[in-house]
């Protein structure tokens, strides 16, 4: 992609996602994702109902009246986007490619984060860590992230979520809010690694999928290519039995994925490329508020 084309695309995504985060998400994001804890702010005179454990005994002794410490939530968060850049994201039969929707969702979260004065960083992953962008604040940093999402060329086409969450645990020592954006087209078990990571961090999973992953159309003989392995085969989509088996496979895989999230206590949402991701994200944020 040429530089001028990338700049145009970055600008287009910024206009759309910045508007969404300003008008819709900022308040929901703030209440859904809490800060690290409570920080001391000031002292004031004791009032009936105050917790006696908050009494500041030094100030109380000085003024001969009880005073309590007032705490405020430490709002500043570190937000990490764990973005799947494997081959299966380059697929879409509806409004857009899975990769395009992942980029828009990531940009919306990023702009919501900086409006709350949070730092944002990125891990691009396939079946290995492709690129790590350390957390920073500011619009320039987000525009750099969007540009990388649009133009990044991974070395591998396969997916390994386990690698991504283990890398997050090793590189982020302080508690972090992490969004995993992927189609979760994975062949290995990552439940234990995810569970360990979510004990240390606040992990949220966002699955982006295409409608054709859920059901095959009845269009006769069709060539199917696995984007991650390159394996090709022809299937007869005119067969009702085949279409039903394909749908059962999808439902089984989704049930297993949901069980992984449930066991790991990870909030999650699944969004199809022909759906409005705004509604899905808002529902996710409201559930956490």
């Amino acid at each position: 992609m040429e530089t001028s084309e990338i700049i145009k695309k970055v600008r287009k995504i910024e206009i759309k996602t910045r508007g969404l985060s300003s008008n819709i998400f900022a308040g929901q994001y703030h209440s859904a994702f809490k800060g690290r804890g409570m920080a001391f702010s000031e002292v004031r005179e004791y009032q009936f109902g105050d917790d006696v454990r908050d009494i500041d005994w030094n100030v109380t002794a000085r003024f001969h009246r009880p005073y309590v410490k007032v705490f405020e939530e430490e709002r500043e968060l570190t937000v990490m986007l764990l973005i799947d850049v494997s081959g299966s994201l380059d697929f879409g039969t509806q409004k857009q490619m899975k990769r395009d929707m992942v980029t828009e969702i990531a940009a919306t979260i990023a702009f919501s984060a900086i409006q709350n004065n949070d730092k944002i960083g990125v891990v691009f992953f396939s079946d290995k860590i492709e690129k790590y962008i350390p957390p920073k604040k500011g619009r320039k940093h987000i525009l750099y992230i969007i540009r990388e999402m649009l133009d990044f060329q991974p070395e591998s086409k396969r997916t390994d979520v386990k690698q991504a969450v283990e890398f997050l645990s090793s590189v982020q020592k302080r508690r972090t809010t992490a969004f995993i954006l992927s189609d979760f087209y994975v062949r290995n078990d990552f439940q234990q690694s995810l569970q360990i990571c979510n004990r240390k961090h606040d992990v949220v999973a966002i699955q982006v999928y295409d409608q054709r992953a859920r059901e095959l159309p009845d269009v006769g003989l069709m060539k199917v290519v696995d984007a991650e392995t390159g394996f090709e085969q022809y299937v007869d989509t005119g067969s009702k039995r085949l279409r039903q088996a394909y749908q059962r496979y999808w439902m089984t895989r989704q049930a297993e994925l949901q069980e992984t999230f449930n066991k790991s206590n990870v909030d999650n949402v699944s969004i199809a490329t022909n759906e409005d991701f705004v509604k899905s994200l808002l529902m996710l944020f409201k559930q956490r508020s």
Side-chain angles (χ1 to χ4, degrees), residues 48-192:
F48 179 75
D50 285 340
D51 192 332
V52 293
R53 290 173 295 184
D54 292 335
I55 291 175
D56 187 320
W57 294 107
N58 290 331
V59 178
T60 297
R62 195 181 311 148
F63 292 100
H64 307 293
R65 291 192 304 276
Y67 278 78
V68 292
K69 296 175 183 176
V70 178
F71 296 86
E72 287 184 352
E73 184 186 15
E74 271 188 288
R75 251 310 306 173
E76 184 181 298
L77 291 173
T78 296
V79 177
M80 290 298 301
L81 302 173
L82 277 58
I83 299 176
D84 184 351
V85 291
S86 62
S88 61
L89 271 288
D90 292 318
F91 179 76
T93 62
Q94 306 292 312
K95 290 183 179 179
Q96 58 188 166
M97 295 278 198
K98 287 185 279 185
R99 190 178 305 283
D100 296 332
M101 178 172 269
V102 164
T103 300
E104 288 192 7
I105 293 171
T108 302
I109 293 169
F111 279 117
S112 298
I114 63 162
Q115 284 182 24
N116 279 282
N117 202 36
D118 296 337
K119 293 178 182 176
I120 189 123
V122 175
V123 176
F124 290 137
F125 72 93
S126 54
D127 61 349
K128 64 185 209 175
I129 304 305
E130 296 275 356
K131 187 180 180 74
Y132 170 55
I133 303 173
K136 286 184 184 176
K137 295 181 184 181
R139 175 176 171 267
K140 279 187 180 178
H141 182 60
I142 291 178
L143 296 182
Y144 165 65
I145 289 171
I146 295 171
R147 192 167 68 244
E148 284 294 296
M149 284 192 286
L150 288 171
D151 201 42
F152 187 77
Q153 298 298 319
E155 292 181 11
S156 176
K157 289 186 177 294
R158 296 174 184 256
T159 313
D160 188 346
V161 175
K162 185 171 179 282
Q163 288 263 1
V165 294
E166 286 179 357
F167 178 80
L168 175 70
S169 293
S170 67
V171 80
Q172 287 295 322
K173 302 305 178 188
R174 301 183 77 172
R175 185 169 172 81
T176 297
T177 297
F179 295 88
I180 309 173
L181 292 99
S182 174
D183 56 6
F184 292 93
Y185 188 78
V186 293
R187 291 174 171 83
N188 63 339
D189 181 24
F190 60 93
Q191 190 257 314
Q192 188 176 10

Side-chain angles (χ1 to χ4, degrees), residues 216 219-226 231-238 242:
L216 281 175
V219 292
L221 202 62
M222 184 171 72
K223 183 180 180 181
V224 179
V225 182
D226 188 317
F231 177 74
E232 299 180 6
Q233 65 176 331
Y234 284 90
V235 296
D236 180 14
T237 62
L242 178 103

Side-chain angles (χ1 to χ4, degrees), residues 6-17:
I6 292 172
I7 291 170
K8 281 182 185 175
K9 281 200 166 189
V10 169
R11 183 65 184 144
K12 189 177 178 182
I13 289 171
E14 183 192 13
I15 290 168
K16 178 179 179 178
T17 59

